[in-house]
Amino acid sequence: MATDDSSSDLNRMQRLSGVEKATILLLAMGKPLADRIVKRFDSDELKRVASSASTLRTVERPVLDRIVDDLVKQLEVGIGLVATPGQAQELISGVVSEEDAAQILETVNGSSGKTLWPRLSRTPGANVAKFLMQENSQTVAYVLSMVAPDLAASVVAQMPAAQRNSVMRRMLALKPMTDAAAALLEEILAENLLSGVTSDGDTNLQAKLASVLNKLEKQQMDEALKSIEAVNPKGAKLVRGLLFVFDDIVKLAPEARAKLFDEVPSEVTIMALKDAQPEVVEAALGGVSSRARRMIEQELTGGAPATKKDVQKAQRWIADLVLDMADRGLIEIGGSHDE
């Protein structure tokens, strides 16, 4: 049945004319952005779009998604025009003074993605999630691949499971975006998300996705991995090798555990071990001094109970420290996350 629906959506999209597809996209993107595009149309183009809008029937979400995906694919192929800073200077030369032209070019060059993504990474996750949850999964995947892992994890954690898993699958298979498409997306983000707010290959994609997954709760991580594994088993296996959760300390070499727990405050170790399996407790205690071990064991047997949230926070803190120490070359992880 799902296959029939998908085929029907594809057939309807293929029957749409170019003008109808353009009209649908303009209506979907909202008036502020559509106005900026429509003002570049000539009178004949405006009449054709207006006529199309007046006769357009209801467009189901799957059809809209296919139209957006088709546009993204065309943008990935590229267009036959490449602008340069020199052309930009030539464009405004003679229109404004040389001093004003220099200031304009400096502003334009400074507003590129080099400054957008760090700014976006400092934006509250709730704001970014609210904006991106209304966008196509392909767009969301690209944006999350460009921002800091902490923000990406915060965003996907707030998404419904189906959307979260779809975005994760697309992140793993993400292709480079053309400069023109990236510039358009960055402009939209800067205008609609940042206003008023104070790819290097498959290996990098896997590392980026692992960085996001490492910040999620274990249940969310497992759900995302299962979803990825269903469509890309090889990619899922490679990503698993880059993951690390607290229970994986049993896979660390004794020397690595000793270095790790030398950096962990005793109170954090105690909290993290409150809800741990016996083999995990033993592995952790094997990395501390005899005196610290006796004190921790005493707290675990007679100390006050802890909330699940506090335990998970302590475990995540230690897991993050492991990843940080591995990045700095202080220890080797060596193992992988198992379900």
Side-chain angles (χ1 to χ4, degrees):
M1 184 67 179
T3 303
D4 292 340
D5 291 341
S6 178
S7 177
S8 175
D9 296 336
L10 178 60
N11 289 337
R12 181 173 180 199
M13 188 199 76
Q14 291 175 336
R15 289 197 301 269
L16 293 170
S17 68
V19 174
E20 288 173 326
K21 291 178 183 178
T23 303
I24 291 169
L25 289 171
L26 288 169
L27 293 173
M29 67 179 61
K31 182 172 173 55
L33 181 57
D35 283 348
R36 297 183 58 186
I37 297 175
V38 170
K39 71 180 182 181
R40 292 178 169 83
F41 290 2
D42 59 32
S43 58
D44 182 58
E45 290 169 336
L46 284 172
K47 289 177 183 178
R48 293 167 65 189
V49 169
S51 175
S52 174
S54 65
T55 59
L56 196 64
R57 295 181 299 162
T58 301
V59 179
E60 295 79 7
R61 182 57 187 255
V63 176
L64 174 59
D65 286 343
R66 283 188 175 274
I67 294 173
V68 173
D69 284 339
D70 187 53
L71 175 63
V72 170
K73 289 177 182 177
Q74 292 185 48
L75 289 173
E76 286 176 347
V77 173
I79 57 177
L81 175 64
V82 179
T84 66
Q87 288 172 309
Q89 185 172 0
E90 182 179 351
L91 182 65
I92 63 175
S93 177
V95 179
V96 296
S97 67
E98 291 185 6
E99 182 178 348
D100 289 340
Q103 185 174 359
I104 291 171
L105 290 171
E106 182 179 356
T107 301
V108 170
N109 292 333
S111 63
S112 67
K114 293 180 180 179
T115 57
L116 170 71
W117 301 116
R119 285 182 61 202
L120 187 58
S121 293
R122 295 191 295 270
T123 304
N127 294 6
V128 180
K130 183 178 179 180
F131 178 84
L132 290 181
M133 279 194 285
Q134 308 301 318
E135 300 300 318
N136 179 269
S137 293
Q138 186 74 15
T139 300
V140 178
Y142 176 77
V143 172
L144 296 186
S145 74
M146 299 296 290
V147 300
D150 283 344
L151 175 62
S154 172
V155 170
V156 297
Q158 298 177 60
M159 291 179 174
Q163 184 182 18
R164 177 171 63 242
N165 295 337
S166 173
V167 169
M168 292 295 186
R169 291 195 299 269
R170 288 173 184 262
M171 282 184 71
L172 191 59
L174 200 61
K175 297 179 181 179
M177 187 177 287
T178 64
D179 291 343
L184 177 60
L185 176 58
E186 289 162 11
E187 181 180 351
I188 294 171
L189 289 171
E191 180 172 318
N192 293 279
L193 186 56
L194 292 181
S195 57
V197 177
T198 307
S199 110
D200 298 318
D202 290 344
T203 301
N204 284 345
L205 290 175
Q206 292 152 9
K208 188 74 176 181
L209 181 56
S211 296
V212 174
L213 290 173
N214 273 321
K215 302 293 183 180
L216 297 180
E217 299 293 340
K218 187 176 185 301
Q219 180 180 351
Q220 294 175 331
M221 177 192 291
D222 290 340
E223 288 177 355
L225 281 171
K226 288 179 181 177
S227 176
I228 294 170
E229 197 166 37
V231 296
N232 190 344
K234 182 179 178 181
K237 183 178 180 180
L238 293 172
V239 171
R240 283 182 185 277
L242 300 173
L243 299 179
F244 191 92
V245 295
F246 178 71
D247 288 354
D248 288 335
I249 63 172
V250 299
K251 302 174 184 176
L252 295 177
E255 298 82 3
R257 285 200 295 268
K259 289 182 180 179
L260 168 65
F261 284 99
D262 190 49
E263 301 288 333
V264 181
S266 296
E267 59 270 21
V268 176
T269 301
I270 293 169
M271 183 63 67
L273 295 177
K274 290 276 188 180
D275 192 33
Q277 296 296 317
E279 62 271 20
V280 178
V281 174
E282 184 57 36
L285 294 180
V288 302
S289 66
S290 299
R291 180 173 176 275
R293 177 174 183 137
R294 289 194 297 272
M295 186 267 289
I296 292 172
E297 287 177 331
Q298 183 177 358
E299 285 292 327
L300 291 177
T301 55
T307 65
K308 183 177 180 180
K309 181 178 180 180
D310 287 339
V311 172
Q312 290 178 340
K313 183 178 179 181
Q315 291 180 348
R316 184 69 265 164
W317 191 92
I318 294 175
D320 286 343
L321 178 59
V322 171
L323 294 168
D324 178 65
M325 293 178 71
D327 285 342
R328 289 184 284 146
L330 299 178
I331 61 174
E332 291 185 4
I333 294 179
S336 63
H337 170 71
D338 295 321
E339 291 185 54

